Amino acid sequence: MKSLSILFFTVLLLPGISLSDCLIRGTGDMGVIVERAAGSLKVVDTTHHNTLFQVEGLGDLSHASAVYSRDERYVYVFGRDGGLTKVDILCGRIVKRIIQGGNSIGGAISQDGSLIAVSNYKPGGVKIFSADDLSLIADIPATTVTDRDGNKKGSKTVGLVDAPDQRFVVSLYDSGESWIIDMSDPAKPAIQRFENIGSLPYDGLVTPNGRYYIAGLFGQDGLSLLDLWHPEKGTRLILDDYGRGQKKLPVYKMPHLEGWAMADDRAFLPAVGQHAVLVVDSKDWKEIKQIPVHGQPVFVMARPDGRQIWVNFAFPHNDTIQVIDTETLEIINTLKPGKGTLHMEFSPRGESVWISVRDKDEVQVYATRTQELTHRLPVDKPSGIFFTSRAHQTGL
Amino acid sequence: MKSLSILFFTVLLLPGISLSDCLIRGTGDMGVIVERAAGSLKVVDTTHHNTLFQVEGLGDLSHASAVYSRDERYVYVFGRDGGLTKVDILCGRIVKRIIQGGNSIGGAISQDGSLIAVSNYKPGGVKIFSADDLSLIADIPATTVTDRDGNKKGSKTVGLVDAPDQRFVVSLYDSGESWIIDMSDPAKPAIQRFENIGSLPYDGLVTPNGRYYIAGLFGQDGLSLLDLWHPEKGTRLILDDYGRGQKKLPVYKMPHLEGWAMADDRAFLPAVGQHAVLVVDSKDWKEIKQIPVHGQPVFVMARPDGRQIWVNFAFPHNDTIQVIDTETLEIINTLKPGKGTLHMEFSPRGESVWISVRDKDEVQVYATRTQELTHRLPVDKPSGIFFTSRAHQTGL
């Protein structure tokens, strides 16, 4: 007993080694779930469907997003309050936390894993940090615009994603631009600017192969498409009918572009302000079909093999999930996980899907083949779910 | 000093915990390299480009292949001698090794990570083991055939892959069949048999989305295609000209189907017995183009974003790599890594590629954007390279 006491006492004092709370285990089957109200994370094991750690003190996690280091050990969480927090999921603790801006709305990790980029509403612009110690590598101011009161300010930056060849792509809400930021030489960010991409881009995505960047537009119908293999061709407008049309929806009612799914040659996306999923041919961006669904879709997500699309909905229909067959384009199942069904994340090879059900304070796990509930985990007001397999994918 | 000595002494004695050789680290940036002649593995770190462990005692590793557990901690190595070895890459040691058959030529791991399947030449058939302890779960004998001497034997099994919904697919060389093995209920393997798929299937692949299973045929031209979304339609012959034609090539000169690349709607594959890469439309399986290359291609591999194809060649041209642009279909670079350039593996997001150069006893790392050599690692007669990100993909 005595030697064990000495052991544990000593181990706790050794820097970087703490057997009492760090795990020797693979990280390929791990993930985090955002507990929005508490400002904390649950670190989970997707093989055994259990919680490994709770990590507290992450600040305001409304609409928080997260990316993983290439070794799948660290998660970088982007908070609404401008916080950037690096969490060690093997030890269940915050490694470093900084407030990098006034109001952050998303981030990305570079292809090689060395750089973390964050887009900010205030003061606008993109900041790029070392993934290692969160030291500032580059501070890229946004285009200056004049607001209604005649004051100068930096444009809000939105829709920040990573792209192959060590690039980031971002859009500027107020100035109507998209930028490619090439960080091959971290000391000299090379910025390629595309102006007049459309009015008020509010969000962006990159296709899973990293080729196409698409920005959603709040100020007009349609979306802006940029072919990253051919930036010299500039942006072009696609899906001319996609948008608010004559309706005056507030910006928060516009679909998140992260809620798009790509399966084979087709994109599945939420129709704006309608109870429908749009099916679009991703070769020519023409609409193939509108699938009537239970409510206004929020996330339209493809099972990794592209066989099924799972859809959740905005309030007051947010107690429901519908499953669409990608071949017949018909709804094959309607599930009722409960009120506040906010987010979904598929296991890497798609055998299961984890669903946040806020008002039940739980995450539900379903087998995708049968669409049957297999496990429940208690989680305090769960929202975003992020599995480590994202580390290996572009744009996630 | 005294307390430290006690610490390390005690820690080494604790079951399951040995700080001296197990690592607390993420496994997303790890991999193994097969040292064929020595029957050993190098465990590598793809971020720092170095070796973490050497693991010995894996038997005959000629044409060895490997798959990863879903947590990316364990690698299962399938050896030519029928050996199945489970290696813990965090601790650099063999967890368990069994000789499961007389002559093994490949294996797969189930979608949920719980089952390891192995296909055997002798005695034929497929054995399925628990991924946990390698205990036998199912022993599925092959169709019995009569050999030239009139003796009964089990058909050789080849081209074993995993597929979505907890299935494996395999082909039977002597009896000309493909089988779908559904392991949803491990106690009752459900086998769907497809007969007369073509003469002497010698290898197989599943497309990255898990939908199509393709078997190469040694006894006739063409390949057999099975749509796993519609098994009721049976197999059909595609690429009628693909094969030996009038030439009588030995079976080992036939291209491995793992050497096919899929990028967008196109497949890139080695022409049989010719110095050419075939480009095929994967919608209708019609040939689009033949690209003349430096030698007989062995592996035709797509960078993960589909922007480039890297090709190596059979002896005597096996000192060369060529890089093809997937848009122009032209060769953009010819590299000379050295004699015995046998295998390639891309980093998960494609910024680099690792290349085994047997006769230099080294692995070379290239930046894919510039195609410049960035790192070298000493490895004893390297052959296959397998990164942990395979854990998250179907068919790898």
Side-chain angles (χ1 to χ4, degrees):
Chain A
M1 274 309 288
K2 193 178 169 192
S3 64
L4 270 182
S5 313
I6 293 172
L7 165 71
F8 285 119
F9 181 73
T10 314
V11 167
L12 286 169
L13 295 180
L14 282 177
I17 303 175
S18 169
L19 283 180
S20 63
D21 58 1
C22 292
L23 303 172
I24 297 176
R25 58 166 291 152
T27 47
D29 63 344
M30 294 176 71
V32 298
I33 302 171
V34 171
E35 296 181 312
R36 177 173 164 171
S40 55
L41 296 182
K42 283 269 197 300
V43 178
V44 295
D45 172 329
T46 69
T47 301
H48 301 97
H49 310 95
N50 59 12
T51 297
L52 300 168
F53 295 109
Q54 170 148 348
V55 185
E56 299 179 347
L58 282 90
D60 182 355
L61 294 182
S62 322
H63 301 287
S65 64
V67 298
Y68 281 94
S69 60
R70 78 188 296 283
D71 65 358
E72 298 182 335
R73 176 172 181 169
Y74 301 100
V75 64
Y76 301 87
V77 181
F78 308 98
R80 190 69 188 211
D81 55 3
L84 168 58
T85 312
K86 179 176 180 177
V87 175
D88 180 345
I89 62 170
L90 275 181
C91 301
R93 65 185 171 213
I94 292 173
V95 177
K96 190 159 186 181
R97 173 169 164 80
I98 60 173
I99 300 295
Q100 59 76 40
N103 191 327
S104 160
I105 54 122
I109 185 164
S110 63
Q111 183 181 31
D112 73 351
S114 69
L115 302 171
I116 304 290
V118 192
S119 60
N120 285 303
Y121 270 13
K122 292 178 187 170
V126 174
K127 285 186 180 171
I128 298 176
F129 299 91
S130 159
D132 184 30
D133 62 6
L134 304 190
S135 60
L136 187 67
I137 301 283
D139 186 352
I140 301 171
T143 303
T144 302
V145 293
T146 306
D147 68 16
R148 292 180 196 167
D149 303 326
N151 299 318
K152 303 275 188 191
K153 64 165 191 172
S155 173
K156 289 175 188 168
T157 53
V158 298
L160 175 66
V161 300
D162 59 276
D165 296 333
Q166 201 66 0
R167 294 177 295 176
F168 295 108
V169 191
V170 69
S171 291
L172 286 78
Y173 180 79
D174 303 284
S175 57
E177 296 171 82
S178 290
W179 290 2
I180 298 173
I181 304 172
D182 187 333
M183 292 299 294
S184 301
D185 179 354
K188 291 182 188 165
I191 302 173
Q192 198 172 355
R193 294 175 168 81
F194 301 87
E195 299 178 352
N196 304 312
I197 68 155
S199 176
L200 303 177
Y202 70 95
D203 198 4
L205 69 79
V206 65
T207 53
N209 66 359
R211 177 166 181 176
Y212 296 104
Y213 178 78
I214 297 171
L217 301 173
F218 182 64
Q220 67 176 87
D221 285 349
L223 300 120
S224 161
L225 178 81
L226 178 60
D227 181 351
L228 299 175
W229 291 14
H230 292 288
E232 75 282 359
K233 292 185 179 170
T235 63
R236 67 185 177 91
L237 208 68
I238 58 168
L239 283 172
D240 301 359
D241 295 334
Y242 194 78
R244 302 182 298 162
Q246 298 308 313
K247 297 187 207 85
K248 289 291 169 190
L249 295 172
V251 71
Y252 68 85
K253 289 261 189 189
M254 297 294 286
H256 287 293
L257 268 63
E258 63 185 309
W260 285 36
M262 302 279 176
D264 281 322
D265 285 344
R266 291 179 297 185
F268 294 79
L269 49 145
V272 181
Q274 295 174 60
H275 293 193
V277 167
L278 302 185
V279 188
V280 171
D281 184 326
S282 64
K283 293 290 169 194
D284 59 10
W285 300 104
K286 301 291 180 199
E287 190 177 304
I288 295 170
K289 187 173 178 178
Q290 292 203 15
I291 304 172
V293 289
H294 177 71
Q296 165 68 46
V298 177
F299 290 107
V300 176
M301 300 190 68
R303 199 172 78 163
D305 68 346
R307 187 74 181 94
Q308 298 172 350
I309 300 287
W310 290 55
V311 187
N312 72 345
F313 303 99
F315 181 85
H317 301 104
N318 68 353
D319 62 342
T320 300
I321 293 277
Q322 287 189 312
V323 184
I324 298 170
D325 181 307
T326 55
E327 194 172 42
T328 62
L329 303 182
E330 286 174 4
I331 293 165
I332 57 172
N333 210 339
T334 298
L335 310 173
K336 296 283 180 186
K339 284 186 183 170
T341 292
L342 298 182
H343 283 271
M344 293 174 277
E345 179 90 336
F346 287 93
S347 62
R349 286 168 63 187
E351 71 278 11
S352 61
V353 60
W354 291 45
I355 300 177
S356 283
V357 189
R358 184 193 57 207
D359 294 2
K360 285 187 177 171
D361 287 316
E362 69 180 18
V363 166
Q364 299 177 4
V365 184
Y366 290 78
T368 59
R369 185 178 192 172
T370 58
Q371 295 113 49
E372 282 171 4
L373 178 67
T374 60
H375 299 85
R376 298 172 190 268
L377 283 83
V379 182
D380 181 13
K381 301 279 173 284
S383 60
I385 306 174
F386 304 91
F387 291 161
T388 53
S389 52
R390 290 171 172 255
H392 297 156
Q393 292 178 278
T394 295
L396 293 186
Chain B
M1 274 310 287
K2 193 178 170 193
S3 63
L4 270 181
S5 313
I6 293 171
L7 165 71
F8 285 119
F9 182 73
T10 314
V11 166
L12 286 169
L13 295 181
L14 283 177
I17 303 175
S18 168
L19 282 181
S20 64
D21 58 1
C22 292
L23 304 172
I24 297 176
R25 58 165 290 153
T27 47
D29 62 344
M30 294 178 72
V32 298
I33 303 172
V34 171
E35 296 181 312
R36 176 173 164 171
S40 55
L41 295 183
K42 284 269 198 298
V43 178
V44 295
D45 172 329
T46 69
T47 302
H48 301 97
H49 310 95
N50 58 13
T51 296
L52 299 169
F53 296 109
Q54 169 148 351
V55 184
E56 299 179 346
L58 281 90
D60 182 354
L61 294 183
S62 321
H63 300 286
S65 63
V67 298
Y68 281 93
S69 60
R70 78 188 295 283
D71 64 359
E72 298 184 333
R73 176 172 181 170
Y74 301 100
V75 64
Y76 301 87
V77 181
F78 308 99
R80 191 68 188 215
D81 56 2
L84 168 58
T85 312
K86 179 176 180 177
V87 175
D88 180 345
I89 62 170
L90 275 181
C91 300
R93 65 186 171 212
I94 292 173
V95 177
K96 189 159 186 182
R97 173 170 164 78
I98 60 173
I99 300 296
Q100 61 76 39
N103 191 329
S104 160
I105 54 121
I109 185 163
S110 64
Q111 183 180 31
D112 73 351
S114 69
L115 302 171
I116 304 289
V118 192
S119 60
N120 285 303
Y121 270 15
K122 293 179 188 171
V126 174
K127 286 187 179 171
I128 297 175
F129 299 91
S130 158
D132 184 30
D133 61 5
L134 304 189
S135 60
L136 187 67
I137 301 283
D139 186 352
I140 301 171
T143 302
T144 302
V145 293
T146 306
D147 70 14
R148 292 180 196 167
D149 303 325
N151 300 318
K152 304 273 187 193
K153 63 164 191 172
S155 174
K156 290 175 187 167
T157 54
V158 298
L160 175 65
V161 300
D162 58 276
D165 295 333
Q166 200 67 358
R167 294 177 295 176
F168 294 108
V169 191
V170 68
S171 291
L172 286 79
Y173 179 80
D174 304 284
S175 58
E177 295 171 81
S178 289
W179 290 2
I180 298 173
I181 304 172
D182 186 333
M183 292 299 294
S184 302
D185 179 353
K188 290 183 188 165
I191 302 174
Q192 197 172 356
R193 294 174 168 81
F194 301 88
E195 299 179 354
N196 305 313
I197 68 155
S199 176
L200 303 177
Y202 71 95
D203 199 4
L205 68 79
V206 65
T207 52
N209 66 358
R211 176 166 182 177
Y212 295 104
Y213 178 78
I214 298 172
L217 301 172
F218 182 65
Q220 67 176 87
D221 285 349
L223 301 119
S224 161
L225 178 81
L226 179 60
D227 181 351
L228 300 175
W229 290 15
H230 291 290
E232 74 283 359
K233 292 185 180 171
T235 63
R236 66 184 177 92
L237 208 68
I238 59 167
L239 283 172
D240 301 358
D241 296 335
Y242 194 80
R244 303 182 298 162
Q246 297 309 312
K247 298 187 208 86
K248 287 293 170 191
L249 296 172
V251 73
Y252 68 86
K253 289 262 188 187
M254 296 295 285
H256 288 293
L257 268 64
E258 62 185 308
W260 285 36
M262 302 280 176
D264 280 322
D265 284 344
R266 291 180 297 186
F268 295 79
L269 48 143
V272 181
Q274 295 173 59
H275 293 193
V277 168
L278 302 185
V279 187
V280 171
D281 185 326
S282 64
K283 292 289 169 194
D284 58 11
W285 300 103
K286 301 292 180 199
E287 190 177 305
I288 295 170
K289 187 174 177 178
Q290 293 204 15
I291 304 172
V293 289
H294 177 70
Q296 165 68 46
V298 177
F299 291 107
V300 176
M301 300 190 68
R303 199 171 78 161
D305 68 347
R307 186 74 180 95
Q308 299 172 350
I309 300 287
W310 290 55
V311 187
N312 73 343
F313 303 98
F315 181 84
H317 301 103
N318 68 352
D319 62 343
T320 300
I321 293 276
Q322 288 190 311
V323 184
I324 297 170
D325 180 308
T326 54
E327 194 173 42
T328 63
L329 303 182
E330 285 174 4
I331 293 165
I332 56 171
N333 210 339
T334 298
L335 310 173
K336 295 284 179 186
K339 284 187 182 168
T341 292
L342 299 182
H343 283 271
M344 293 174 278
E345 179 90 336
F346 287 92
S347 62
R349 286 167 63 188
E351 71 279 11
S352 61
V353 60
W354 291 45
I355 299 178
S356 283
V357 189
R358 184 193 58 205
D359 295 3
K360 285 187 176 170
D361 287 317
E362 69 180 18
V363 165
Q364 299 177 4
V365 184
Y366 290 78
T368 59
R369 184 178 194 174
T370 58
Q371 296 112 50
E372 283 170 4
L373 178 66
T374 60
H375 299 85
R376 298 172 189 268
L377 284 83
V379 182
D380 181 13
K381 301 278 173 287
S383 60
I385 306 174
F386 304 91
F387 291 160
T388 52
S389 51
R390 289 170 173 256
H392 297 156
Q393 294 177 278
T394 295
L396 292 186

